[in-house]
Amino acid sequence: MKNELYSGAEYLNPGHVGCPGCGATIAMKLALRALGEHTMLVIPASCWAIIGGNYPQSSLKVPILHTAFATTAAAASGLRAALDLRGDRETTIVGWAGDGGTFDIGFQALSAAAERGEDFIYVCYDNEAYMNTGVQRSSSTPWGARTMTTPGDKWKRTYKKNIVEIMAAHRIPYAATASIAYPEDLERKLRKAASIRSGLRFIHLYSSCPTGWGFAPEHSVRVARLAVQTRAFPLYEVEDGTTYAINQAGDKPVREYLRTQSRFRHLSDEDIAQIQKYVDQEWKRLVRKAEEA
Amino acid sequence: MREVLEGSQAVAEAVRLARVKVISAYPITPQTHIVEELAKYCADGSLDGRFICVESEHSAMASVIGAESGGVRSFTASSSHGLALMHEMLHWAAGARLPIVMAEVNRALGPGWNLWVDQTDSLSQRDTGWLQFYCSDGQEALDTTLLAYRLAEILNLPIMVVMDAFFLSHTYEPVDVPSQADVDAFLPPYEPKFLMDTKNPYALDEVAPINVYMEMRRSIQMAMEAAPGIYQAIEDEFYTRFGRRYGLVEPYRCEDADIVFVTAGTAAATARVAVDTLRAKGERVGLLRLRMFRPFPAEAFRLGLAHAKKVIVLDRNCSFGAGGVFAQELKAALYGPEAPKLYSYVAGMGGRDVTVDTFSELFTMTRDQDEPPLGSVWYGVNEEMLRS
Ligand SMILES: Cc1ncc(C[n+]2csc(CCOP(=O)(O)OP(=O)(O)O)c2C)c(N)n1
Ligand code: SF4
Ligand SMILES: [Mg+2]
């Protein structure tokens, strides 16, 4: 059987400098397969600013506008306006930022663009910390994780922001989570986002990071799959900010996911029980929303 | 106690010794080691303070302003784009007359992204009302941080301790770490001159109408004018306690020098070697290292260059449309019929090497040229690339 997914064009050049097993690089490869050549990317400071390549080279076959850390959604808004004024409605603009560039420093610009109803896709590839600067916590870092700014016994004891709910609260036409371990689901969601041509579409893309999380590079996809299977990172989508649908079931204990990564190694059984409780509550809330729809 | 420390660790050590209470920072290469070290101190309890992991540099400076307004000694560190994003709050900190100390690691600004040393980031903050000190080794970074708290809290102005990306921030050197008791004796607990207080309620940083605004600005300028004198007195005390001093500018073999290099940061350490090399060949050359940049120590430069015939300024920065910043400022400070001829060179931006040979070559170029060109000469640029 011919696999649709692996037959098309590739937009990621070989020789990029992403770490071996980099989930964020897999994420881009899959996303561009779905979006195709009529795509322009806006990329802020992040690992992807480096993976994108050094002048005069580029690791991607589509145009990239590199931008300052806080500015992805604002720069994408300007670029969209320019294309519209030049009569180009064919090109899809994609803001492609890390969790730090989305949850933290870029959040103001993102929220404003969502409220204005800007026409672009915003992908937050989430590796749950500031990886490019050497693993410091972001507001996407999960409860329990150690980073360079949540070291030793001061590991992070606040929960990750629920960015999809925050974006859904802007009542944007489409918000969804996606994972590199579920390429069909990921590509379907990006195509769907591209087909909606009004308002901001938001994709929260789980991108495992062997370097920052502490696991062997060959396990990137396995770790990502476990995140979904344990409901630590559920796959779901939200239309118009209100209609929730869950795309993937999962029932494994969260311990199985946590135990794959050294950033969680210090957690005691009680800590893990607390995470399990949180995951269960969040899942219940999600199911309730999906049932309401 | 002598320890082998990275430049970043030397700064973090000074912050701990200064008993800083609030640290608020946002990571950016190559400043990260400073804040990671401080996060570690806060986590292991060796620093009794709070580390706020903010969501941007604008908020880092804003929260440090909040902390100082609340009456506690505070610290932040940044670099390059982070410093640029802070710009509004840098003005705010100075206008609010808060004695904040920050470490600033000189790194190039994008686009294109570049992590390496370049002084344009800090120099483009020169009009914000912050004092600036440029360090050239780890010991100096530690000492200057301690001196900075003492000076800032007298002047009620914020101070930037500036250090080169990687060449200083990431280089391990032996550093003499003073004891807590000695530092406590030198740097007394912070006594804010004003703070948020319900028993004495007044508003901070409120509207300043036409009849007071200019006086407020004038008082900042007056504090700047007083800074060199006060600094020297503090440094004298520092010297008696710790046996080290640096000055506003630091002369090296300048006494009989016809030609004097002026530069800052780690390039000055390289220039020092170049001076020795050239001296060995019989050239009468010296180095006057720029350390304090704001306020600009015009008097110290006038004195230091009184006998020089030519000055070679190496700027690792550029004010586009004007040229090297140190050269411009120095030219203005020396202006007059007695001024030595000033040769301005822009070099080493974005991390390009500045070597002993660089200085030797600049020396020969300058020695063999009677009149300096009007603007800055760019050294080490691939002209071929510019033509294509
Ligand atoms: C204004 C500003 N502050 C800080 C930085 C330094 N910086 C560059 S990338 C980065 C972290 C990016 O984290 P995230 O958005 O999660 O992307 P990741 O590197 O994890 O892929 C930081 C802090 C910067 N470039 N600009
Ligand atoms: S640090 Fe993580 S996200 Fe960054 S390139 Fe490496 S694997 Fe990818
Ligand atoms: Mg990240």
Side-chain angles (χ1 to χ4, degrees):
Chain A
M1 191 183 82
K2 187 162 160 273
N3 189 332
E4 279 285 296
L5 274 177
Y6 305 108
S7 59
E10 289 287 353
Y11 298 92
L12 176 69
N13 289 314
H16 64 78
V17 297
C19 305
C22 171
T25 307
I26 300 172
M28 179 68 89
K29 191 182 168 99
L30 297 173
L32 285 179
R33 276 179 183 169
L35 294 168
E37 62 183 318
H38 296 292
T39 303
M40 288 184 186
L41 290 165
V42 178
I43 301 182
S46 58
C47 275
W48 248 104
I50 307 300
I51 306 166
N54 280 2
Y55 178 86
Q57 296 170 315
S58 173
S59 68
L60 296 180
K61 293 176 188 157
V62 298
I64 309 175
L65 175 63
H66 287 273
T67 192
F69 199 13
T71 64
T72 312
S77 301
L79 183 58
R80 180 73 264 165
L83 296 196
D84 287 352
L85 289 162
R86 286 170 47 200
D88 176 355
R89 294 290 302 157
E90 189 183 14
T91 301
T92 300
I93 290 174
V94 179
W96 182 274
D99 48 294
T102 303
F103 288 57
D104 294 340
I105 199 166
F107 186 71
Q108 175 172 320
L110 171 60
S111 174
E115 185 276 335
R116 287 194 303 271
E118 296 288 353
D119 168 18
F120 59 85
I121 301 176
Y122 189 108
V123 177
C124 170
Y125 73 92
D126 187 2
N127 51 27
E128 303 193 322
Y130 299 149
M131 292 312 177
N132 182 48
T133 39
V135 199
Q136 298 87 13
R137 65 91 90 182
S138 76
S139 60
S140 169
T141 303
W143 192 97
R146 250 184 206 154
T147 68
M148 296 302 278
T149 46
T150 51
D153 292 339
K154 291 283 165 93
W155 44 266
K156 191 164 179 278
R157 284 180 179 80
T158 57
Y159 291 101
K160 181 185 172 90
K161 274 184 195 170
N162 189 326
I163 195 74
V164 173
E165 277 190 14
I166 294 169
M167 293 317 295
H170 289 73
R171 302 295 178 253
I172 53 174
Y174 189 58
T177 62
S179 166
I180 58 161
Y182 295 83
E184 293 87 350
D185 179 76
L186 187 162
E187 297 195 21
R188 176 185 67 78
K189 284 169 174 168
L190 277 159
R191 282 203 201 93
K192 183 165 170 180
S195 72
I196 303 168
R197 294 311 303 264
S198 65
L200 193 143
R201 290 86 73 195
F202 183 82
I203 308 285
H204 183 196
L205 212 175
Y206 181 97
S207 308
S208 35
C209 169
T211 311
W213 297 359
F215 63 81
E218 61 270 30
H219 295 313
S220 283
V221 172
R222 189 173 74 89
V223 168
R225 192 177 301 118
L226 272 170
V228 174
Q229 290 171 337
T230 60
R231 301 168 176 169
F233 190 90
L235 291 183
Y236 64 103
E237 56 200 319
V238 192
E239 282 176 16
D240 302 318
T242 47
T243 312
Y244 281 66
I246 297 173
N247 312 117
Q248 191 71 38
D251 55 6
K252 290 193 176 171
V254 75
R255 169 187 294 273
E256 281 185 39
Y257 168 67
L258 300 174
R259 283 299 180 227
T260 57
Q261 305 155 59
S262 69
R263 63 178 171 153
F264 296 119
R265 191 154 49 200
H266 52 279
L267 296 178
S268 67
D269 286 345
E270 293 87 81
D271 298 330
I272 291 174
Q274 176 158 345
I275 295 175
Q276 185 66 60
K277 198 171 137 206
Y278 183 75
V279 163
D280 292 344
Q281 278 168 359
E282 288 293 296
W283 176 258
K284 234 183 261 166
R285 224 169 269 151
L286 186 60
V287 169
R288 213 181 310 134
K289 284 193 178 136
E291 282 167 0
E292 266 172 29
Chain B
M1 196 173 70
R2 266 174 105 68
E3 289 177 45
V4 176
L5 295 181
E6 205 187 30
S8 298
Q9 292 174 325
V11 171
E13 197 59 68
V15 171
R16 169 158 66 180
L17 288 165
R19 297 187 185 279
V20 167
K21 289 286 173 228
V22 173
I23 297 150
S24 177
Y26 194 71
I28 181 162
T29 307
Q31 151 268 36
T32 38
H33 287 188
I34 301 174
V35 295
E36 286 174 0
E37 193 74 5
L38 288 168
K40 208 168 69 191
Y41 294 165
C42 289
D44 68 20
S46 63
L47 191 155
D48 177 24
R50 182 175 306 176
F51 191 103
I52 310 178
C53 286
V54 281
E55 80 296 348
S56 76
E57 289 84 359
H58 194 268
S59 291
M61 187 47 67
S63 53
V64 166
I65 288 168
E68 288 267 355
S69 305
V72 303
R73 196 174 275 161
S74 309
F75 176 81
T76 188
S78 196
S79 178
S80 181
H81 287 264
L83 189 72
L85 189 60
M86 268 183 194
H87 179 74
E88 180 191 15
M89 301 321 288
L90 293 178
H91 277 285
W92 196 281
R97 302 302 300 267
L98 296 171
I100 297 164
V101 172
M102 77 177 288
E104 142 60 22
V105 186
N106 274 142
R107 163 189 153 182
L109 284 151
W113 293 119
N114 177 303
L115 303 175
W116 308 96
V117 63
D118 187 310
Q119 298 151 334
T120 312
D121 58 348
S122 56
L123 292 174
S124 60
Q125 305 302 335
R126 63 180 160 174
D127 301 331
T128 54
W130 283 62
L131 285 83
Q132 293 191 4
F133 287 90
Y134 288 75
C135 300
S136 72
D137 61 37
Q139 184 71 61
E140 189 182 346
L142 185 153
D143 293 346
T144 306
T145 305
L146 295 175
L147 286 157
Y149 275 108
R150 182 78 189 276
L151 180 62
E153 290 168 12
I154 293 171
L155 296 172
N156 266 89
L157 278 182
I159 300 183
M160 230 177 252
V161 178
V162 186
M163 55 204 283
D164 287 353
F166 300 105
F167 298 141
L168 181 42
S169 64
H170 286 56
T171 299
Y172 281 85
E173 291 173 300
V175 174
D176 191 358
V177 180
S179 74
Q180 185 66 62
D182 284 346
V183 172
D184 286 346
F186 172 73
L187 182 66
Y190 177 41
E191 298 239 1
K193 298 199 185 78
F194 52 85
L195 80 172
M196 297 293 283
D197 182 2
T198 50
K199 291 195 196 67
N200 185 14
Y202 47 81
L204 296 182
D205 311 338
E206 68 199 314
V207 175
I210 298 170
N211 63 337
V212 297
Y213 184 83
M214 209 163 150
E215 283 70 18
M216 288 177 168
R217 300 299 112 169
R218 175 68 185 129
S219 81
I220 294 176
Q221 174 63 14
M222 283 163 65
M224 280 285 187
E225 286 163 7
I230 297 174
Y231 174 75
Q232 276 164 316
I234 293 172
E235 210 190 41
D236 286 345
E237 192 189 321
F238 190 88
Y239 179 73
T240 39
R241 261 178 217 291
F242 302 106
R244 292 183 296 273
R245 63 158 27 120
Y246 304 94
L248 307 171
V249 295
E250 190 182 50
Y252 181 67
R253 303 185 82 171
C254 275
E255 307 77 37
D256 62 340
D258 295 329
I259 300 186
V260 175
F261 291 117
V262 170
T263 193
T266 55
T270 309
R272 192 185 278 258
V273 180
V275 166
D276 290 341
T277 314
L278 291 162
R279 283 264 176 190
K281 292 181 188 154
E283 302 286 1
R284 302 210 316 188
V285 60
L287 162 72
L288 196 57
R289 176 165 73 92
L290 180 152
R291 205 173 107 73
M292 179 188 255
F293 172 73
R294 272 292 175 275
F296 194 77
E299 196 52 44
F301 271 114
R302 264 179 232 145
L303 277 171
L305 297 171
H307 306 295
K309 298 195 176 69
K310 292 180 178 179
V311 180
I312 299 173
V313 183
L314 185 140
D315 272 288
R316 219 168 193 159
N317 62 76
C318 182
S319 171
F320 300 116
V325 173
F326 295 146
Q328 290 169 52
E329 299 247 349
L330 189 55
K331 232 184 251 185
L334 299 176
Y335 182 73
E338 302 297 312
K341 290 174 182 167
L342 192 146
Y343 295 72
S344 164
Y345 299 97
V346 168
M349 290 174 74
R352 200 161 292 190
D353 268 350
V354 172
T355 64
V356 173
D357 287 346
T358 308
F359 284 101
S360 300
E361 243 178 88
L362 295 182
F363 175 82
T364 314
M365 281 161 71
T366 305
R367 186 195 57 195
D368 299 345
Q369 199 176 19
D370 287 338
E371 288 302 320
L374 208 53
S376 300
V377 172
W378 286 59
Y379 174 86
V381 170
N382 180 348
E383 299 292 339
E384 190 79 8
M385 204 190 286
L386 289 175
R387 274 192 294 273
S388 64

